[in-house]
Amino acid sequence: ARPGDTLEIRDGTYADWRFAVHASGAMTAPVTLKAQTPGEVRFTGNVRVEITGQHVVVSGFRFEDALSSRHCSIVEFRNTQHCRLTDCAFVRCGDPESTFTRTINLAYGSRHNRVDHCRLTGHNNSGVTVCCSLDEEPDFHRIDHNRFGPRGFAVATRAVPGLHLRPSWLLPDLVPVAARVQRAVLQDP
């Protein structure tokens, strides 16, 4: 894909999909991967989306009853710059047998990424919903305008390295480390 290209996935339900988006867009012309109709492209089962590159937008997908391989994330930003996950829903996601899976992971080496206008609800395990892995440099990620429903795990804590969103009944230290969390709608179970 070239800067400004839009790749569209047709409406439907896709089981056990694993794909990687390796692209380099531009600030004014990102590469966009989107649902034909927002919310009408559903991923279920063993799902993994890996985003690498710069200025990539992933938009409009619904992840329902999705899980990933152990110790993996459903959506992972790896070595990304200025990428965005927006307008996606994560419903009943996670492997109930694992505490190490993450729904969304902004991994080491990623900077200036954004997760916004997403809905995360019905989390199926005690793992982390959104994780910003820290390295030596600030990451400047933005996590904003998201809705964390019952079991959506939504309070920032520094219990382990990085910014993690955890259930609000675990309230140790509420200071986000290297990312901004703003305007999140929180609901306790």
Side-chain angles (χ1 to χ4, degrees):
R2 296 186 323 217
D5 283 353
T6 297
L7 309 168
E8 190 173 271
I9 296 180
R10 290 186 190 162
D11 292 350
T13 300
Y14 301 90
D16 302 322
W17 261 44
R18 302 174 76 85
F19 59 94
V21 181
H22 304 288
S24 290
M27 185 182 315
T28 58
V31 171
T32 302
L33 176 66
K34 68 179 200 126
Q36 180 181 8
T37 306
E40 295 301 318
V41 174
R42 291 179 182 86
F43 294 108
T44 63
N46 192 348
V47 176
R48 174 133 167 104
V49 178
E50 184 177 303
I51 304 164
T52 60
Q54 57 189 354
H55 301 288
V56 175
V57 175
V58 176
S59 176
F61 298 110
R62 181 178 178 91
F63 298 85
E64 192 168 323
D65 298 313
L67 53 99
S68 62
S69 300
R70 299 221 194 271
H71 308 293
C72 289
S73 307
I74 293 172
V75 175
E76 182 160 300
F77 293 74
R78 182 163 297 283
N79 296 313
T80 55
Q81 305 287 322
H82 304 281
C83 293
R84 182 178 180 199
L85 178 69
T86 186
D87 193 28
C88 291
F90 296 85
V91 180
R92 294 181 309 276
C93 292
D95 181 354
E97 302 293 318
S98 175
T99 59
F100 297 104
T101 58
R102 296 170 174 94
T103 303
I104 302 167
N105 187 23
L106 294 109
Y108 296 104
S110 295
R111 304 268 183 279
H112 302 278
N113 296 300
R114 184 175 182 198
V115 176
D116 66 286
H117 296 92
C118 293
R119 182 170 64 96
L120 298 99
T121 185
H123 197 61
N124 281 339
N125 68 11
S126 60
V128 174
T129 305
V130 178
C131 175
C132 296
S133 301
L134 290 179
D135 48 19
E136 298 297 316
E137 301 290 321
D139 54 31
F140 303 105
H141 298 310
R142 283 183 57 196
I143 301 169
D144 63 285
H145 295 85
N146 295 292
R147 176 178 284 285
F148 297 88
R151 294 209 26 90
F153 290 29
V155 173
T157 178
R158 282 195 282 182
V160 294
L163 171 70
H164 296 269
L165 301 179
R166 293 230 179 232
S168 57
W169 59 88
L170 299 175
L171 292 174
D173 181 353
L174 299 178
V175 180
V177 179
R180 287 195 325 227
V181 176
Q182 60 189 26
R183 295 184 189 169
V185 177
L186 310 178
Q187 297 175 338
D188 285 332

